[in-house]
Amino acid sequence: MQWRADIEYRLEHNGQVCYLRSVLNDLFDPIERRITITDEVEEQADQTWYQRHTETTRLLPMRETRRPLIIERRGFGGINGFDFWINIPLSLYATIELSRLRAIVSTYKLASKRFSINYTEG
């Protein structure tokens, strides 16, 4: 019965942003539902972005355009190097297993789409 429920859940969700956001929040932040997905970095004056770098988290300096300056990003070709960004609150940093998150996103996204996982304050 559980297997059937899991398969039905997968069939009800697809790669659309609203469904992908729903799946990620159901699994990793079911109460507050703070995980968001954006097409590009939103311009917000008080937004601070973080990048996971091996075992440490580094604060990224902001450019004049209020977009983060990406440091040592593998395969990154500028702001348009990714098709969408997954924004995760910094408070969930220790609770989310990154390899599991990437596997779930890869299950639902289209094969040609590239994504980045970013940690944000808030």
Side-chain angles (χ1 to χ4, degrees):
M1 295 299 286
Q2 181 64 38
W3 179 80
R4 181 184 167 106
D6 290 342
I7 296 301
E8 287 177 354
Y9 183 83
R10 284 187 182 187
L11 291 174
E12 291 171 357
H13 295 80
N14 60 28
Q16 289 180 326
V17 172
C18 59
Y19 290 124
L20 183 57
R21 184 179 61 228
S22 173
V23 168
L24 294 176
N25 280 309
D26 286 348
L27 293 172
F28 298 110
D29 194 20
I31 296 170
E32 296 183 39
R33 305 187 74 77
R34 297 171 290 173
I35 297 174
T36 60
I37 298 174
T38 54
D39 288 333
E40 63 180 34
V41 179
E42 297 174 355
E43 293 189 27
Q44 297 177 2
D46 60 345
Q47 190 77 24
T48 305
W49 292 82
Y50 294 87
Q51 173 196 5
R52 182 176 178 189
H53 178 72
T54 58
E55 298 300 320
T56 63
T57 302
R58 293 183 182 176
L59 177 64
L60 298 178
M62 302 299 279
R63 298 180 184 166
E64 296 80 30
T65 61
R66 297 286 182 206
R67 293 176 184 247
L69 177 64
I70 306 298
I71 302 170
E72 297 180 32
R73 175 72 73 180
R74 276 183 270 153
F76 188 76
I79 286 296
N80 295 325
F82 295 104
D83 296 309
F84 63 96
W85 298 58
I86 299 172
N87 307 310
I88 301 172
L90 194 57
S91 59
L92 295 176
Y93 177 78
T95 61
I96 292 180
E97 186 179 336
L98 204 56
S99 60
R100 182 174 178 218
L101 177 73
R102 287 187 188 280
I104 291 167
V105 173
S106 295
T107 299
Y108 288 100
K109 75 172 184 69
L110 294 174
S112 64
K113 299 297 179 184
R114 299 163 296 172
F115 67 95
S116 173
I117 299 171
N118 299 300
Y119 292 92
T120 62
E121 287 182 343

